[in-house]
Amino acid sequence: MKTTAAVAGLAVMLMACGGDKSKDSMAMDSTSAMTPAPAPAMAMGATHNVNMVLEGTTYKFVPSELSVKVGDQVVFHNISGGPHNVQFYADSIPAGAQAMIDPQLKDGLGPLSSMLVTEPNATIAVSFAGAPVGVYGFTCTPHMAM
Ligand SMILES: [Cu+2]
């Protein structure tokens, strides 16, 4: 079994719910692997909030990039312009990440895709407990082309 050495690695999310041709992504790098890891398996992770909004004619995730640690969770909030969802790119996530993501996205639109949220302030939570370190690219399915 392959184990991830850099458990305390940082993740950077680069996201936009459209309006940008570059792929939204989240990077988890292992540069912090030199720092002693403070027992991440037992630690309660931090929660990072990301708003899904429509500003003018631009759909975006706010913030558009984010660093998270293994064990943290990211909560996406449907603020405006919905329905929105969160869809990870199959070719832009680390090996093994799909096995961590898919079980969390019940009733999703498909593999690596969450369900659509339509209610104001509805949320989609993704936990990165046990997540492989690496880059996580994602978008919003209804607005990925916009
Ligand atoms: Cu959207």
Side-chain angles (χ1 to χ4, degrees):
M1 179 174 170
K2 209 171 180 183
T3 55
T4 304
V7 180
L10 291 176
V12 177
M13 281 200 276
L14 307 164
M15 310 176 287
C17 194
D20 188 340
K21 282 203 160 66
S22 66
K23 245 180 196 174
D24 310 319
S25 68
M26 170 163 57
M28 300 180 77
D29 69 57
S30 55
T31 54
S32 64
M34 312 288 275
T35 311
M42 300 302 293
M44 191 68 181
T47 296
H48 304 264
N49 294 296
V50 176
N51 291 336
M52 301 183 287
V53 301
L54 172 61
E55 286 184 9
T57 57
T58 304
Y59 294 93
K60 52 173 75 169
F61 288 105
V62 180
S64 61
E65 55 179 86
L66 182 63
S67 298
V68 309
K69 290 183 176 179
V70 172
D72 289 357
Q73 74 166 347
V74 179
V75 179
F76 298 89
H77 298 259
N78 178 31
I79 301 300
S80 57
H84 299 295
N85 80 336
V86 176
Q87 177 187 348
F88 290 88
Y89 291 105
D91 62 352
S92 298
I93 55 174
Q98 184 163 1
M100 179 273 298
I101 293 170
D102 272 344
Q104 300 187 55
L105 305 179
K106 302 286 186 199
D107 304 316
L109 302 180
L112 296 172
S113 296
S114 77
M115 63 188 293
L116 290 170
V117 287
T118 54
E119 297 288 317
N121 301 312
T123 58
I124 300 164
V126 178
S127 167
F128 289 88
V133 171
V135 177
Y136 290 75
F138 61 96
T139 187
C140 161
T141 308
H143 302 123
M144 65 191 300
M146 302 172 70

